[in-house]
Amino acid sequence: MHPSIRRLAVAVLCALSATLACSVAQEPKPDEETPAQRDARMGWWREARFGMFIHWGVYSVPAGTYDGKQIPGIGEWIMNRGKIPVAEYRRFAKQFNPVKYDPDAWVRLAKEAGMKYLVITSKHHDGFAMFDSKASDWNIVKATPYGRDVLKPLAEACQKHGIKLGFYYSQAQDWNNPGGAAAGGHWDKAQAGDMDEYIRNVAAPQVKEILSNYGKLAILWWDTPVDMTKERVDMLLPLLKLQPGIITNNRLGGGYRGDSDTPEQHIPATGMPGRDWETCMTMNDTWGYKSYDDHWKSTETLLRNLVDIASKGGNYLLNVGPTSEGLIPQPSVERLKEVGKWMKVNGEAIYGTTASPFKQLPWGRCTKKALLVSTKLYLHVFTWPTDGKLLAPGLRSAVEQAYLLADAKGTPLATEATDQGLVVSVPAKAPDSLSSTVVLRLKGDPDIEPVLLTQKEDGTLALPALEAVVHGDTAQYESGGGKDNIGFWLNPNDWVEWQFKATQTGKFDVTAEIASQGTGSFELRLGNQKLKGTAPNTGDYTKFRKVSLGTLEIRESGKASLEVRPVAAGWQPINLKSVTFKPAR
Ligand code: FHN
């Protein structure tokens, strides 16, 4: 099924089950909350912007290897991927003895990195509780030589160092407790059982335990809501009342949207306007420890991800996967310390900031902070200008102050208002090769004139999906996982438009990059000219083909707009990556 259609179906089902759930589920929030109450509840989380994810469990013992073979995939899934029988997997617990576990050091590391909260797997899909549980003996106290609850001292360390604590809990997927493997498939009859009973007798009591026994909890992080009907959700949702003010994500299921959306391993190109969101990401390729995964992201990548996410209004939940001895891998420690060094100087440009008012910046990113009568823009410069001139494109506001965040003295930088926008004169050398911050304090709200796309010197005009203005209900810009296109284009009344500044007139050959599983027709409109097009059936919504659409004439210089509109009759969705004009030969 086309992914867009599947998503629509899921959305419809979710909406439907959310409506039905009203009569059953007692969602304590956000229905009963005013927007101001919600803002107050989410306040610390929006301020924080950066948190630590910890995937830790029995899977750190095999650490990616079972029966002498390296098991492909993420480390915490080894039981499932290796189809390890329950009794055999349970033997790994006998070797789980994290004698080097130092929760205080973990929390100090998170704090040193500039993180404000952490979320640890209290129970992952292998069903192993990292806490003392009365609901199942498959827990760290009863099944390991270590014999102690690891969450308790972590909660204490968080409390001591002022770090908010969250628990991850896999509510629907449990490969050890009978009935919990329904969602992920069985491979051992020991897993057989009834999922409702599993939720009633294991998941719900355990959620009650983690919400009751560790003091103030900031976050409950659900995961993989497979087969979570509203009846099952109803067994868990009321428990949240045990922790007033708790923040939950969107992965409980049953139509419950929670407080935050959770893009995983990617950063949405245009953020998620109107929603709180948090990208969770690994530092290498696995969440749970794998002894041979050395595919570490560089500090530069991690740091720029953090900046990128903040510039789109989201949080970054960055993962570490400790070993079975209780150590956070050294490459993670090093990177976190380096990020922390940067945060010491530049943290002001991350914490409590909101999304960039610029659509795109060729040299980096921007974050924003509204003050009483002024606004601070933080220009995060990844590519330092070689000519010492940094252009904030289209910025028309009066500048009260401009300086480098790394300059403790706050030496003023010269600024100049130009046709293109505000130009800041910066020193020849970047203060930080990873990302340097230029602060602009503006009078009032930023006044930014949108910068129009324009033709290249040879007359070529490139109109990429990211720059399109989308009109309608379903069509939207999609990115990540090889996508960079307008997709989800189910409604033939939706249309897209590019505004551009024509500098060269004449006739142009027009092409478009399209992926589709049908041959829907559409129309390009430029002023009163129209051009018909038919999508190629590329067989896959991620396989794009360039199609020639014919010729259009740019008749005069200046502002213009190109529209792409479906032809309603027989419309079949297309994914549109770009439209290009090239001077006709
Ligand atoms: O299956 C899990 C995975 O192991 C990991 O915990 C991630 C983290 O977001 N969540 C699930 C996949 O979405």
Side-chain angles (χ1 to χ4, degrees):
M1 189 196 271
H2 171 234
S4 309
I5 294 175
R6 193 168 51 237
R7 280 206 315 274
L8 183 68
V10 170
V12 169
L13 281 173
C14 287
L16 198 63
S17 57
T19 315
L20 292 172
C22 290
S23 56
V24 189
Q26 296 163 24
E27 188 175 329
K29 54 178 186 26
D31 313 45
E32 298 159 14
E33 257 179 347
T34 64
Q37 284 168 331
R38 181 185 155 79
D39 287 346
R41 187 167 57 82
M42 296 302 293
W44 75 263
W45 191 91
R46 292 174 187 159
E47 172 73 29
R49 288 288 170 248
F50 193 23
M52 178 183 272
F53 213 176
I54 305 176
H55 275 69
W56 196 31
V58 163
Y59 39 80
S60 60
V61 172
T65 304
Y66 168 59
D67 209 10
K69 287 188 225 60
Q70 294 193 346
I71 306 297
I74 39 185
E76 70 285 4
W77 272 71
I78 189 166
M79 182 178 176
N80 183 304
R81 296 270 154 81
K83 298 296 168 238
I84 306 179
V86 168
E88 227 173 288
Y89 187 77
R90 285 188 176 221
R91 281 204 279 276
F92 288 127
K94 303 262 182 293
Q95 297 168 57
F96 188 73
N97 194 15
V99 288
K100 296 190 180 155
Y101 175 45
D102 181 350
D104 202 77
W106 286 16
V107 174
R108 278 187 277 114
L109 177 65
K111 194 166 179 169
E112 189 179 340
M115 293 159 156
K116 299 290 186 186
Y117 62 105
L118 61 83
V119 179
I120 184 167
T121 47
S122 66
K123 187 199 86 169
H124 203 265
H125 310 330
D126 65 358
F128 185 75
M130 298 293 276
F131 55 97
D132 192 6
S133 173
K134 293 195 172 63
S136 164
D137 285 353
W138 179 229
N139 72 61
I140 189 162
V141 177
K142 305 215 173 68
T144 74
Y146 190 66
R148 274 172 280 160
D149 181 325
V150 287
L151 302 187
K152 272 254 156 72
L154 188 67
E156 283 158 18
C158 284
Q159 177 76 26
K160 175 172 155 199
H161 294 289
I163 295 288
K164 303 261 186 202
L165 175 66
F167 287 152
Y168 166 111
Y169 188 86
S170 171
Q171 75 281 14
Q173 202 167 183
D174 183 323
W175 305 320
N176 265 274
N177 290 297
H186 297 174
W187 56 93
D188 183 336
K189 58 180 181 314
Q191 297 165 317
D194 180 76
M195 186 165 174
D196 293 317
E197 271 176 40
Y198 161 73
I199 301 273
R200 189 173 306 111
N201 300 328
V202 179
Q206 287 195 333
V207 169
K208 190 169 180 194
E209 287 171 339
I210 59 174
L211 291 176
S212 307
N213 300 339
Y214 300 90
K216 181 89 188 130
L217 213 62
I219 296 169
L220 186 53
W221 217 96
W222 309 108
D223 205 7
T224 58
V226 194
D227 291 342
M228 284 300 290
T229 59
K230 66 181 173 51
E231 288 78 14
R232 289 170 180 158
V233 164
D234 284 344
M235 291 193 253
L236 301 173
L237 203 49
L239 297 170
L240 293 176
K241 285 190 177 137
L242 291 166
Q243 288 282 347
I246 198 164
I247 290 172
T248 61
N249 69 3
N250 62 342
R251 297 190 182 185
L252 175 58
Y256 175 72
R257 289 197 76 192
D259 299 306
S260 61
D261 284 358
T262 51
E264 181 168 321
Q265 300 284 39
H266 81 276
I267 304 170
T270 49
M272 304 186 113
R275 282 288 288 171
D276 288 296
W277 62 277
E278 177 190 61
T279 282
C280 55
M281 199 180 274
T282 51
M283 279 199 193
N284 48 358
D285 290 336
T286 181
W287 303 92
Y289 180 67
K290 254 181 120 170
S291 60
Y292 49 89
D293 182 342
D294 293 321
H295 195 215
W296 298 100
K297 296 176 183 72
S298 66
T299 303
E300 178 183 278
T301 299
L302 298 172
L303 185 64
R304 290 185 177 181
N305 282 347
L306 171 63
V307 172
D308 188 24
I309 289 167
S311 80
K312 291 164 181 166
N315 281 16
Y316 195 26
L317 187 62
L318 185 57
N319 185 71
V320 295
T323 66
S324 61
E325 284 188 299
L327 294 176
I328 294 180
Q330 199 50 29
S332 299
V333 174
E334 284 158 18
R335 282 157 180 77
L336 289 172
K337 288 191 171 177
E338 282 164 8
V339 171
K341 250 167 97 184
W342 184 91
M343 285 293 272
K344 278 212 171 67
V345 177
N346 299 279
E348 180 195 322
I350 299 290
Y351 301 128
T353 58
T354 54
S356 171
F358 299 96
K359 199 160 183 190
Q360 267 191 316
L361 292 167
W363 38 256
R365 302 288 184 272
C366 171
T367 52
K368 187 180 105 173
K369 216 174 259 182
L371 307 174
L372 273 182
V373 286
S374 56
T375 303
K376 269 188 180 175
L377 292 186
Y378 299 100
L379 310 181
H380 299 262
V381 189
F382 298 164
T383 313
W384 197 250
T386 46
D387 62 355
K389 304 278 176 213
L390 185 74
L391 172 68
L395 183 62
R396 302 277 172 242
S397 304
V399 179
E400 292 177 340
Q401 246 187 328
Y403 56 94
L404 293 171
L405 199 51
D407 176 5
K409 290 193 220 120
T411 316
L413 299 175
T415 60
E416 189 193 348
T418 71
D419 279 357
Q420 275 78 47
L422 187 91
V423 174
V424 189
S425 297
V426 294
K429 196 170 169 312
D432 195 313
S433 60
L434 301 178
S435 178
S436 305
T437 314
V438 174
V439 187
L440 297 179
R441 210 180 74 204
L442 311 175
K443 232 180 172 163
D445 291 334
D447 176 9
I448 297 171
E449 198 178 294
V451 178
L452 292 180
L453 294 162
T454 190
Q455 288 163 277
K456 289 195 193 141
E457 246 169 51
D458 69 355
T460 303
L461 174 67
L463 305 172
L466 179 62
E467 295 290 343
V469 180
V470 183
H471 303 266
D473 311 326
T474 66
Q476 57 189 253
Y477 177 74
E478 301 182 306
S479 72
K483 287 190 239 151
D484 167 27
N485 55 267
I486 307 296
F488 212 14
W489 203 335
L490 302 173
N491 187 340
N493 295 320
D494 292 356
W495 56 285
V496 301
E497 171 189 27
W498 283 271
Q499 295 186 342
F500 62 94
K501 193 167 141 200
T503 49
Q504 295 181 41
T505 54
K507 291 202 166 145
F508 291 81
D509 293 331
V510 182
T511 55
E513 279 181 288
I514 296 173
S516 180
Q517 289 185 354
T519 50
S521 301
F522 53 89
E523 197 170 76
L524 266 61
R525 294 186 191 172
L526 178 66
N528 57 10
Q529 301 169 74
K530 289 181 182 167
L531 204 59
K532 276 247 160 70
T534 302
N537 185 338
T538 62
D540 188 305
Y541 277 94
T542 55
K543 251 193 205 137
F544 287 84
R545 194 177 306 154
K546 194 183 261 184
V547 282
S548 297
L549 299 172
T551 308
L552 284 171
E553 190 177 353
I554 297 180
R555 293 187 177 140
E556 51 191 81
S557 301
K559 201 171 158 186
S561 154
L562 179 84
E563 298 173 9
V564 180
R565 291 175 180 266
V567 172
W571 170 245
Q572 288 163 310
I574 64 170
N575 280 355
L576 177 61
K577 200 184 186 84
S578 65
V579 175
T580 306
F581 282 48
K582 272 199 186 306
R585 264 177 264 152

